Amino acid sequence: MRWLSRSYLALVYLLLYVPISVLVVFSFNNSRTGYSWGGLSLRWYESLFNNHAMVQAMWNSLWLALTAATVSTLIGALTALALHRYRFRGKRMLNGMLFVVMMSPEIVLAISLLGLFLLLGLQLGYVSLLLAHVTFCLPFVVITVMARLAGFDERLPEAARDLGASDFTMTRTVLIPVIMPALMAGWLLGFTLSMDDVVVSTFVSGPSYEILPLRIYSMVRVGLKPEVNALGTLLLVFSLVMLMVSQWILSRSKQ
Amino acid sequence: MKKLALAGLLALGLTGCSSDDPQVLNLYNWSEYMPQEVLTRFEEETGIKVVYTTYDSNEAMYARLKLLDESAAYDLAVPSTYYVSKMRNEGLLLPIDRSKISGFDQLDSELTGLDIDPDNQYSVPYLWGTTGIGVDAADIEGEPVTAWEDLWDERFEGRVNLTNDMREVFHMGLRVLGYSGNSTNPQQIEEAYEKLTELMPSVRTFNSDAPRMPFLEGEADVGMIWNGEAVMGKDSMEALEYVYPEEGVIAWLDSFVIPKNAKNPEAAHKFISFVLQPEIAALISEDIGYATPVLSARDLLGDEVAGDRASYPTPEDMVNAEFQADIGDEALQVYARYWEKLKSGL
Amino acid sequence: MMLSIKQQPFRAAVLVLVWGWLLFLVLAPNMLVVGASVMTRDPSTFIALPLNLDAYRQLFNPLYLEVFLHSLYMAAMTTLICLLVGYPFAWALSRVEKRRQMLLIFLLIVPFWTNSLVRTYALKLILATNGLLNSALMSLGVIDEPAQLLYTEGAVIVGLVYLLLPFMILPLYSVFEDLRQDVLLASHDLGAGRLATFKNVIVPLTLPGVLAGVMLVLLPAMGLFFVPDILGGSRNLLVGNVIKNQFLDARNWPFGAAASIVLTLTMALLMFAHRLSKRRLGEEGA
């Protein structure tokens, strides 16, 4: 029985990794037409870096993801703290709204925000993208932080309060360090979600701020561009590094 | 706090590349419709950076332009004839200052001064071309394909590619029935719709991003394809042929227009002038296979390109050809309804 | 342990920020969508008065209903496959030694962290007529001619499964983790055979996980429009494609909004079912 379940696991993992391996292998394929092997070559990586528009889109995406993750972590953490610590009216409604964002199909989120931005006459570009990305990252940060807060000793903030600390000070010196791992996890999740987003970005982006997923989308739609393999491989390596860094940080912080 | 400051500095560094370059041209064009070399040379010669985004249909371009109307996103777009008149009539375009562009007099007079824009106040022709039948000669058996009607043949079930273009697909449907491809008669349009539904089981792909791809990928053997795509495709696949259908090929013209709220109309004019230069126009035609309207450029074309019937058809090829004309908004709505029905009925 | 004393200004600032963001960027936009769905289409301003239910009527037109049902069918198939593959996987994963589990979960998430567009494109390389799968099958002698795999309904489903599988596995893994060994032992001691245990103990206890997985897969499977674009040849469209076309091509906003509302209601239905299952579980106890 054990053998069966182990081999089943192995099989599924194999299937999951075949497409990615294909991508990596073919990124070094010298042949122009994707399907035949033409020898090892780095030409697609070269062509990628010579493509100014692509490089610009990469930087734009990175910056967007960085800022979106940071802002959403900030607001998300405060939201989680508020939900956990404060008593106020409409808590259920707040929870409800977060839930709606998380569970809504991305496309519904996308059109609702597009409608809002148009109504406000907001130019579609970096700002619209940032607002949209922070919004869909928010619930994930909140959940991550709340999970951390749930298993946390309430006596510490109590003690701080008894010692006369203000709310702000107490939050800063006691709570923040406690939820720090959750903050980092939330930040990383937000960063990934932002870098990967296609659906929402299709609706709320403008040509003044080109982002990577949309570039990739038009490349992939035309099809058979070996540069996509190289790009995919780079993104994979990048994600791997990010994941490993996050694991390392989390394991360090547990000490 | 320190982290935010650090992030801020990083931001300045990251966005540094684009912020010191003040001149940007936002060009919105069909995909696979502009050689990278042209953009690079333009950037080098003028120092203006080109932000290049693409669309795969007039409808998508129009919708996006309308969506971003206020925010002045694009400086140049390349609509087909009937959208030039539509956008012109709706006041969406900026008049083109003839004094700021050079080379206009070099254009084929048959392609200027058209009804869609008399005096070419709002548009300058870019490329003209045809939509005909693409055939993977190596993979089909039996009778050669010579007419649109052949696509309905049972032997092609599941192997047909169509362009993802409402007017073109219906144009084909109308021609097969003997009607004009520019028909505004709802009865005829409905008949074309019925005829096209019969074709649907055969259709493997709708592709306007790069119609040559399904052929190159071996997924489609026959279907609609743009002539330039066929020329480009032949480079990778010898067996890909371009056939002028008996009922008549579809002919069209794409022109540059400047949206009303363009941020950088100066750059737009410069780009148009740049592309009208015979040397550049010839380069474009050779690279992507469509026919240039610049007469002096045609003299610069290599024999192989100038003699390629796909790019430059003979009068015999064009005997039943029909140019896409403006049909008015009302008719467009009728087409749109049936197109949605066609695409939805899977 | 809640701070109910009004400790301004920090608390006030936080609440303003949080409420403000959510009201502005969640409540208001969603209200707009509801509103748009009952307005009339307008060529220049996209939506206009008068209010009417035309958009919904159009939605229930047999033609669009067919698209919706076909999309639902593909999403359901995707969910089913994810369930069939993911359920045993999650069970097997939860039985592995704790130390190895972390690594295995890491390995599971890595593909998920790769750009979804690129992963979908990779599938194209595999499913194409002269792609890897066909080449492999032909060289093994399993088939004589390449099979038409790309640009079919099946290709879209494969794409969706590939992108959404981790969303099914993770909640399932979570409930399997909670499934205490002693409960299973108790069932066994009470004389229940393997099958009976499975049917009467394991299934009900893992049901919330199943429903959570279904929720996380079914809805996105209807909305990921780029999958049919890349793998479906712009055929086999999902509801997401329809909504996108209505908003960005056809400019029929009320219709697009109505379709989105229907999608959201489907989600609400599923959530309700999920909550019911959890409540029932709570009553019967574990």
Side-chain angles (χ1 to χ4, degrees):
Chain A
M1 190 59 174
R2 209 107 171 285
W3 176 88
L4 198 68
S5 74
R6 292 298 166 92
S7 32
Y8 181 71
L9 281 178
L11 180 68
V12 175
Y13 274 109
L14 191 74
L15 288 176
L16 279 177
Y17 276 85
V18 163
I20 302 184
S21 324
V22 167
L23 210 65
V24 175
V25 168
F26 272 86
S27 71
F28 298 106
N29 183 0
N30 198 21
S31 149
R32 175 121 252 282
T33 63
Y35 305 122
S36 49
W37 183 255
L40 281 174
S41 161
L42 282 176
R43 59 190 278 212
W44 307 120
Y45 290 94
E46 250 187 86
S47 120
L48 208 61
F49 285 109
N50 284 332
N51 188 336
H52 292 269
M54 184 68 69
V55 175
Q56 181 68 56
M58 253 192 269
W59 281 129
N60 285 352
S61 272
L62 276 173
W63 176 238
L64 176 66
L66 218 111
T67 45
T70 309
V71 174
S72 73
T73 305
L74 190 75
I75 302 183
L78 290 174
T79 310
L81 285 171
L83 282 171
H84 183 88
R85 313 214 75 249
Y86 300 152
R87 230 186 23 213
F88 53 90
R89 274 211 311 241
K91 238 188 200 183
R92 286 181 84 177
M93 186 170 162
L94 206 75
N95 264 315
M97 285 196 283
L98 284 169
F99 195 54
V100 163
V101 177
M102 192 164 82
M103 299 306 297
S104 273
E106 286 188 320
I107 193 156
V108 177
L109 198 77
I111 60 166
S112 66
L113 287 173
L114 178 65
L116 180 73
F117 296 148
L118 281 184
L119 195 70
L120 297 174
L122 179 70
Q123 185 182 52
L124 295 184
Y126 174 69
V127 177
S128 61
L129 280 167
L130 182 67
L131 290 173
H133 282 219
V134 169
T135 308
F136 69 65
C137 292
L138 210 56
F140 295 97
V141 177
V142 174
I143 290 187
T144 316
V145 175
M146 288 216 67
R148 180 95 176 142
L149 281 172
F152 153 68
D153 192 346
E154 288 298 336
R155 288 176 297 175
L156 276 166
E158 272 287 301
R161 200 157 55 85
D162 288 342
L163 290 169
S166 78
D167 199 21
F168 179 61
T169 318
M170 188 271 296
T171 305
R172 190 165 59 87
T173 56
V174 178
L175 287 175
I176 301 282
V178 168
I179 61 173
M180 190 53 87
L183 286 182
M184 293 194 185
W187 191 94
L188 277 163
L189 192 57
F191 188 84
T192 315
L193 287 173
S194 171
M195 282 291 287
D196 195 30
D197 175 65
V198 176
V199 178
V200 176
S201 303
T202 305
F203 284 84
V204 301
S205 66
S208 59
Y209 200 79
E210 276 233 276
I211 53 172
L212 198 61
L214 296 184
R215 272 260 128 199
I216 299 180
Y217 192 23
S218 37
M219 277 175 82
V220 168
R221 283 178 70 156
V222 171
L224 217 66
K225 276 209 161 125
E227 286 95 337
V228 182
N229 299 334
L231 188 58
T233 309
L234 284 175
L235 288 171
L236 173 65
V237 169
F238 182 72
S239 311
L240 259 173
V241 169
M242 295 278 297
L243 251 181
M244 292 199 285
V245 165
S246 77
Q247 291 294 82
W248 179 77
I249 292 180
L250 281 171
S251 62
R252 277 278 303 268
S253 70
K254 279 197 177 111
Q255 292 156 5
Chain B
M1 274 310 146
K2 260 191 273 184
K3 283 188 189 154
L4 278 173
L6 195 67
L9 280 170
L10 211 72
L12 280 173
L14 285 173
T15 56
C17 355
S18 58
S19 57
D20 41 344
D21 197 329
Q23 286 266 43
V24 172
L25 174 75
N26 255 307
L27 175 58
Y28 199 28
N29 197 2
W30 295 80
S31 51
E32 304 288 282
Y33 214 42
M34 176 76 68
Q36 179 62 40
E37 198 187 326
V38 173
L39 298 177
T40 317
R41 280 173 71 164
F42 178 74
E43 283 182 1
E44 282 169 15
E45 277 184 34
T46 61
I48 302 173
K49 195 166 83 99
V50 180
V51 173
Y52 190 69
T53 36
T54 60
Y55 50 86
D56 67 334
S57 70
N58 283 302
E59 288 77 16
M61 172 219 50
Y62 176 76
R64 193 120 172 99
L65 245 48
K66 282 225 81 149
L67 195 72
L68 301 177
D69 197 24
E70 302 303 312
S71 50
Y74 299 103
D75 299 309
L76 273 180
V78 192
S80 303
T81 41
Y82 56 102
Y83 263 87
V84 171
S85 43
K86 181 174 165 71
M87 290 164 77
R88 194 174 65 101
N89 292 331
E90 291 175 13
L92 292 174
L93 305 175
L94 199 69
I96 294 185
D97 188 347
R98 201 72 71 73
S99 67
K100 291 204 180 120
I101 57 175
S102 53
F104 189 84
D105 45 327
Q106 289 296 309
L107 290 169
D108 189 340
S109 53
E110 301 224 351
L111 296 170
T112 54
L114 300 173
D115 282 339
I116 51 144
D117 186 18
D119 303 329
N120 284 96
Q121 256 196 307
Y122 292 92
S123 63
V124 175
Y126 172 48
L127 289 171
W128 74 272
T130 56
T131 307
I133 306 178
V135 181
D136 180 356
D139 277 341
I140 61 163
E141 293 153 2
E143 297 283 303
V145 176
T146 55
W148 289 125
E149 179 77 52
D150 291 339
L151 295 182
W152 271 256
D153 205 340
E154 269 166 13
R155 59 183 163 136
F156 298 131
E157 182 160 343
R159 308 294 300 172
V160 175
N161 174 65
L162 295 182
T163 54
N164 204 2
D165 191 299
M166 175 178 84
R167 289 280 315 264
E168 286 186 355
V169 171
F170 271 89
H171 190 127
M172 174 181 74
L174 286 163
R175 292 300 269 172
V176 161
L177 294 173
Y179 301 133
S180 158
N182 294 311
S183 169
T184 52
N185 182 329
Q187 177 80 359
Q188 295 177 350
I189 299 172
E190 185 175 358
E191 283 179 49
Y193 163 71
E194 301 292 339
K195 181 76 181 165
L196 287 167
T197 45
E198 290 168 31
L199 184 62
M200 284 298 111
S202 294
V203 177
R204 185 74 180 278
T205 50
F206 279 99
N207 191 319
S208 275
D209 294 301
R212 70 185 187 279
M213 283 309 173
F215 294 94
L216 297 183
E217 290 164 352
E219 307 293 339
D221 295 326
V222 287
M224 294 173 76
I225 193 174
W226 298 320
N227 61 332
E229 286 281 319
V231 170
M232 287 194 278
K234 207 171 166 86
D235 278 344
S236 312
M237 185 164 111
E238 271 296 309
L240 184 61
E241 284 172 13
Y242 188 68
V243 174
Y244 287 91
E246 283 166 6
E247 297 97 335
V249 80
I250 308 169
W252 38 262
L253 171 71
D254 291 327
S255 312
F256 282 115
V257 296
I258 305 181
K260 185 180 58 184
N261 293 331
K263 278 210 193 88
N264 201 346
E266 287 292 315
H269 284 94
K270 283 202 185 126
F271 191 79
I272 298 176
S273 300
F274 185 74
V275 166
L276 287 179
Q277 289 172 70
E279 196 201 339
I280 302 292
L283 169 71
I284 294 174
S285 185
E286 283 185 354
D287 209 66
I288 61 178
Y290 296 99
T292 174
V294 181
L295 288 171
S296 44
R298 295 193 193 158
D299 300 326
L300 295 176
L301 295 170
D303 286 330
E304 210 184 300
V305 177
D308 190 341
R309 271 177 58 215
S311 301
Y312 293 94
T314 64
E316 291 82 58
D317 294 325
M318 298 292 281
V319 71
N320 282 325
E322 204 175 357
F323 224 81
Q324 265 184 343
D326 185 24
I327 50 172
D329 251 351
E330 235 182 273
L332 268 182
Q333 301 263 30
V334 179
Y335 277 100
R337 268 206 320 271
Y338 283 111
W339 175 244
E340 273 182 34
K341 285 177 87 168
L342 198 68
K343 293 288 293 273
S344 308
L346 321 135
Chain C
M1 229 57 80
M2 307 277 187
L3 277 175
S4 51
I5 307 163
K6 278 190 196 277
Q7 298 254 354
Q8 289 100 340
F10 182 60
R11 174 197 141 104
V14 169
L15 286 178
V16 163
L17 177 65
V18 170
W19 272 110
W21 192 277
L22 288 171
L23 282 175
F24 181 57
L25 286 163
V26 178
L27 191 66
N30 280 301
M31 292 289 106
L32 277 175
V33 174
V34 174
S37 69
V38 291
M39 295 184 102
T40 321
R41 176 193 187 174
D42 182 285
S44 16
T45 62
F46 301 114
I47 48 172
L49 298 166
L51 298 178
N52 56 44
L53 288 174
D54 275 348
Y56 287 97
R57 224 166 283 146
Q58 214 183 343
L59 201 57
F60 288 104
N61 177 304
L63 208 63
Y64 284 110
L65 207 58
E66 206 184 307
V67 180
F68 189 84
L69 289 174
H70 187 242
S71 175
L72 188 62
Y73 166 73
M74 286 194 285
M77 287 304 293
T78 304
T79 311
L80 189 66
I81 297 175
C82 282
L83 191 58
L84 289 174
V85 172
Y87 198 83
F89 186 92
W91 180 84
L93 187 61
S94 66
R95 298 283 158 250
V96 170
E97 304 98 62
K98 278 287 175 273
R99 295 174 303 134
R100 297 260 186 83
Q101 270 184 26
M102 274 293 111
L103 176 68
L104 286 178
I105 294 185
F106 180 82
L107 285 177
L108 183 69
I109 296 184
V110 163
F112 166 59
W113 277 56
T114 316
N115 188 288
S116 36
L117 279 174
V118 180
R119 276 189 293 158
T120 313
Y121 175 74
L123 283 177
K124 211 171 165 180
L125 293 175
I126 297 176
L127 295 174
T129 295
N130 26 3
L132 286 169
L133 189 59
N134 272 318
S135 306
L137 288 175
M138 289 215 293
S139 60
L140 285 176
V142 177
I143 52 174
D144 294 318
E145 269 186 27
Q148 288 192 86
L149 300 167
L150 194 55
Y151 302 138
T152 60
E153 184 183 276
V156 175
I157 295 178
V158 167
L160 290 170
V161 169
Y162 187 57
L163 292 179
L164 297 170
L165 191 61
F167 287 105
M168 176 63 83
I169 292 180
L170 289 173
L172 281 176
Y173 167 73
S174 161
V175 286
F176 271 113
E177 269 294 280
D178 288 342
L179 194 64
R180 289 176 9 234
Q181 198 61 3
D182 50 353
V183 172
L184 292 175
L185 281 172
S187 161
H188 192 62
D189 285 345
L190 286 170
R194 268 231 164 93
L195 197 64
T197 307
F198 180 71
K199 191 162 66 86
N200 298 320
V201 179
I202 299 182
V203 171
L205 286 178
T206 54
L207 197 61
V210 170
L211 283 173
V214 167
M215 269 200 305
L216 289 175
V217 172
L218 192 69
L219 265 313
M222 299 221 277
L224 291 174
F225 56 74
F226 56 86
V227 178
D229 275 348
I230 300 173
L231 295 175
S234 293
R235 304 211 68 191
N236 299 297
L237 302 178
L238 299 173
V239 175
N241 292 89
V242 173
I243 296 177
K244 173 171 168 265
N245 287 343
Q246 294 303 320
F247 268 89
L248 299 183
D249 284 357
R251 293 170 296 119
N252 189 347
W253 285 38
F255 184 62
S260 311
I261 300 281
V262 170
L263 210 60
T264 313
L265 286 176
T266 315
M267 162 189 99
L269 218 79
L270 282 174
M271 271 172 12
F272 187 61
H274 181 240
R275 185 158 287 182
L276 266 180
S277 83
K278 278 184 94 167
R279 202 169 293 163
R280 274 188 49 200
L281 201 69
E283 286 168 30
E284 279 159 5

